[in-house]
Structure formats: C-alpha cells, structure tokens
Amino acid sequence: MLTTLAVENYRSLRDLVLPLSGLTVVTGPNGSGKSSLYRALRLLADASRNGAVAALAREGGLPSTLWAGPENGVRRGTSRVEGKVHSKAVGLRLGFAGDEFGYALDLGFPVPGRTAFNLDPEFKREVVWSGPALRPSALLADRAGPVVRTRVSSGAWGDDRFKIRMTDSMLSEFADPRACPELLVLRERIRSWRFYDHFRTDADAPARQSRIGTRTPVLAHDGADLAAALQTIIEVGRAADLAEVVDAAFPGSAVEVREQDGLLSVELRQHGLLRPLSAAELSDGTLRFLLWVAALLTPRPPELLVLNEPETSLHPDLLPALATLIATAAKETQLVVVSHARPLIAALAAITDVGTVELEKEYGETKVAGQGRLDRPPWGWPSR
Ligand SMILES: Nc1ncnc2c1ncn2[C@@H]1O[C@H](COP(=O)(O)OP(=O)(O)OP(=O)(O)O)[C@@H](O)[C@H]1O
Ligand SMILES: [Mg+2]
C-alpha cells in the first residue's frame, strides 16, 4: 500500500506531502488543486510507461506546468509578489512511498546549447528504495542524469553502470531483471494503477454503442467496452453484487447484457416499462452510474485505483449507492477519490474508514488544510 505521496513544483502544488490510506478522499474548494493532484498521480504512472515527457508536452510543456510563484512560496502578509522566480535549478518532482518501496523522480530543463528541444524535460534524478523512507542505505536503483546504478544482492553497488537517454524513465527503459528485479516489480505495480475521469455519456459516447465483446476484466477509460465488462462481472460470479447495486441505485431495475451476432449491448429493465431500454436510450446519469459499476466491480483490482470526481452528473440520490460501490472496491484495492460532493464523502465516512485530505489554496499555493509540521509525513527528495 502507498502511504505517502509527494509533489513539488507541479502547478499550484509547490510543496505538498500527503498521507494516503486504504481509501483516501481528496476534497477542497474550486481551484484548490484537486485536479492537479489527480494529474500528478497520472504523471507518476506515465513515467512507468515512459509517457511522462509526452504527457507534459500535452499540458503545454514543462514551463507551463511548473509552479508559477516564487521559489519559496509567498510569505504570509506579503501584498506584492516580486523578486527572482527561481534561483536554483528548478525541477518538477514527484514521488511516493509505501510499505515496501518508494520512488521519486526529478524532471528539469536540459543544459542550454546541447539541444534544440530546450523545453523537453529531462530526468535529472530518479531513485527507487526499499522500505518506507528514502535513506542512502535503502537505495535499490539510482539514476543520476544518464547513468543508472543498481544495488546487488550483497548490498553493495554493482560494478556495472548503465546508460539511458535523459528523456527516458529508468522505470520503463531499464529492464535488466538480473541487475535489479525490484525495479521490474515496482514498474509492473505502477503500471497496474488505474485512473478514471469523466466518462463520456453524450449521444455518440462509445459506451452507448454495441460492440464485439471479449472477456473484459478492466473497463476501458472511455467505457467503450461497458457491455463486455458487465458480462465479465456476471460470468466471474458477481452477478448478485451487480444486481444489488443496480437495484439500490434504481429500485426495481436490473441490468442485462444482450448478445446478438457477436455484438454485446447493455440493457436496463425498469419498473413500469414493457421492454428494456438500450444503452442508447439511457439517461446520462444512469449510463454514468453503470460505468462506475463496471469500473468498481472489476474482477482484476489494481494496486491503486484513482477516481476523479465520480459524482459528476449523478443525482444526489445515487450518491449513497456510489459510496457503497467505492467502499466495496476499497476492500480489494487502494483507492484515491477526488471529490467535492459532500454527500458522497459523508456517505463514505458513514460506512467505511476514510482518510480525508482537504486541500486549500493559500497565496496561490495548494496546502493541506490543518496540516502542521508534525502532521506532514516524513519526506526527503534525492538531491541533484
Ligand atoms: N503553473 C502553475 N503555477 C501555479 N498555479 C497554477 C499553475 N497552473 C495552474 N495553476 C492554478 O492551480 C489551481 C488548481 O487548479 P485545479 O484544476 O487543480 O483545481 P481544482 O481543485 O481541481 O478545482 P475545481 O474544483 O474547480 O476543479 C488553479 O487555481 C490554477 O489557476
Ligand atoms: Mg478540478
């Protein structure tokens, strides 16, 4: 389980260290940094697939994602922000620690003059350690610039130095299982992290179309394989769970998956109607709820499941059923839920243990509300 998440210089997250629980709810007012936190987690996951540099480019490149305020934040009582923006080499740093492993990356600008791609971020430092805290003696793999070194089983550093490109992550590009098996384990774990964010439910939404179905233990991000995912849930023996949650959300209704000429489609039988409604006929909120059902009853729970504002476009009456679904999923997987729906958070807290992290913005910078020095989980970044 991950116990700590740390972010530095990513948008409004100048210096944030958060505790994570089995089920963490991240909340806060508009503009407090919730979506930035969600994106920071995605960026960490992207690094394991070597997609972090491309993901940053899509967000406008490193310069626009870096914290836009002064280096040390704005001091209380300062009315005007002035002075040098950054004196030290700035980096976007992301990391997490867990019971078994920790990982941190530090992305920065290339040395001027060496390349025309001056805005492409480079990995300046990347480290993997064992145990809950970064200590020099706990390092398993250590990348400084283009050079990776790994610890051998005796505990000493191996003699081999491996070179990788500055724009590649050690997690994805350094894959010698003999040199550092833990790196591969960690990579596969991060690759299993799953993110869901705003399913489309418009008239042309992929989830409304019939599709050829194959066994689908993991719902796609766009929900295109909804029917196959629901049928997989039924066939792995969770039909009763599915029926229960659908009945709790829409009393008297039942979901069915219809197969015709190899094409699968979702249907909802509703009280008072003579025929079931097809996915194309369902309301946005109903379809979205079914998408969350398919995502959360997954027969293959990931290491970490991150949901961004699952309450979007759901009627408040559905939130208790959504909370039950989330609480059920949290028994099998670690969950981070970004939400500003108080009824959802209250419903969750009433049925299960929730770690709530409330974000607030102070002088442009995201802070954890009420977090004193001593409440902040211990965290240290590797130096450049
Ligand atoms: N490079 C940057 N430096 C500093 N702050 C930034 C930067 N980029 C964006 N921001 C600010 O970060 C804040 C947090 O945005 P974010 O989208 O994470 O908020 P949110 O909590 O998800 O809000 P909402 O509830 O409205 O979705 C915004 O106010 C935005 O203006
Ligand atoms: Mg947001």
Side-chain angles (χ1 to χ4, degrees):
M1 189 177 101
L2 309 188
T3 50
T4 309
L5 173 70
V7 185
E8 195 177 86
N9 291 330
Y10 180 67
R11 299 182 177 276
S12 60
L13 316 181
R14 188 188 69 81
D15 174 22
L16 200 72
V17 181
L18 295 182
L20 295 179
S21 324
L23 169 57
T24 308
V25 172
V26 178
T27 184
N30 293 130
S32 58
K34 301 181 298 296
S35 296
S36 303
L37 189 76
Y38 173 84
R39 284 154 82 168
L41 264 168
R42 278 202 80 138
L43 211 48
L44 259 172
D46 285 337
S48 70
R49 299 190 170 82
N50 221 12
V53 170
L56 280 173
R58 282 195 298 275
E59 294 188 23
L62 188 57
S64 81
T65 45
L66 277 178
W67 158 245
E71 193 172 299
N72 296 317
V74 181
R75 274 191 299 280
R76 226 172 253 282
T78 314
S79 57
R80 216 150 56 96
V81 180
E82 53 188 20
K84 275 188 301 187
V85 176
H86 292 286
S87 59
K88 292 187 297 216
V90 280
L92 161 55
R93 306 205 275 193
L94 303 170
F96 63 84
D99 307 327
E100 288 171 85
F101 296 115
Y103 170 70
L105 63 80
D106 176 352
L107 284 164
F109 293 105
V111 177
R114 276 207 208 142
T115 168
F117 301 108
N118 281 311
L119 301 182
D120 272 3
E122 291 186 340
F123 285 84
K124 302 293 183 186
R125 192 86 197 272
E126 227 182 339
V127 293
V128 172
W129 64 89
S130 67
L134 170 58
R135 286 172 290 114
S137 61
L139 282 175
L140 294 171
D142 182 0
R143 176 241 187 102
V147 181
V148 180
R149 60 179 183 154
T150 56
R151 189 89 72 179
V152 292
S153 50
S154 68
W157 287 107
D159 291 330
D160 293 333
R161 296 285 182 273
F162 307 89
K163 279 203 88 171
I164 57 176
R165 272 197 300 267
M166 290 292 283
T167 47
D168 287 341
S169 162
M170 154 174 102
L171 280 187
S172 63
E173 297 307 297
F174 182 72
D176 185 345
R178 286 156 309 169
C180 189
E182 295 89 348
L183 206 59
L184 293 191
V185 173
L186 182 71
R187 178 180 80 185
E188 291 316 307
R189 289 203 187 165
I190 304 180
R191 283 188 178 177
S192 89
W193 294 5
R194 212 172 289 159
F195 295 82
Y196 289 108
D197 184 16
H198 296 135
F199 288 115
R200 265 182 63 190
T201 53
D202 55 280
D204 299 324
R208 293 193 187 272
Q209 325 294 325
S210 299
R211 290 233 310 193
I212 292 182
T214 56
R215 273 194 185 74
T216 304
V218 180
L219 179 74
H221 297 284
D222 61 359
D225 47 10
L226 173 65
L230 290 172
Q231 184 61 25
T232 308
I233 290 167
I234 293 168
E235 291 193 15
V236 298
R238 297 192 77 178
D241 292 343
L242 176 63
E244 194 179 321
V245 70
V246 170
D247 186 61
F250 313 108
S253 300
V255 72
E256 284 167 12
V257 177
R258 201 153 74 103
E259 192 267 337
Q260 198 171 27
D261 305 329
L263 295 180
L264 297 187
S265 55
V266 178
E267 294 187 338
L268 192 71
R269 247 175 220 293
Q270 279 174 313
H271 215 52
L273 293 189
L274 296 175
R275 64 168 180 85
L277 295 182
S278 70
E281 297 168 310
L282 297 178
S283 76
D284 290 353
T286 308
L287 182 63
R288 191 161 276 140
F289 187 82
L290 293 180
L291 284 157
W292 286 116
V293 171
L296 287 160
L297 289 181
T298 172
R300 192 183 294 160
E303 284 277 315
L304 180 71
L305 186 54
V306 191
L307 316 180
N308 194 26
E309 300 183 354
E311 69 271 13
T312 304
S313 103
L314 295 185
H315 189 274
D317 287 352
L318 288 180
L319 297 182
L322 180 64
T324 307
L325 258 178
I326 292 174
T328 308
K331 290 187 188 138
E332 294 175 337
T333 187
Q334 185 170 13
L335 260 154
V336 175
V337 181
V338 175
S339 169
H340 49 196
R342 296 217 171 269
L344 174 65
I345 301 170
L348 271 173
I351 53 176
T352 188
D353 289 335
V354 183
T356 306
V357 173
E358 176 136 15
L359 300 180
E360 60 185 15
K361 208 148 89 169
E362 201 178 277
Y363 299 107
E365 181 181 338
T366 297
K367 303 261 187 191
V368 178
Q371 188 183 55
R373 266 177 199 283
L374 296 176
D375 309 319
R376 185 173 144 124
W379 183 264
W381 293 106
S383 58
R384 270 204 191 164

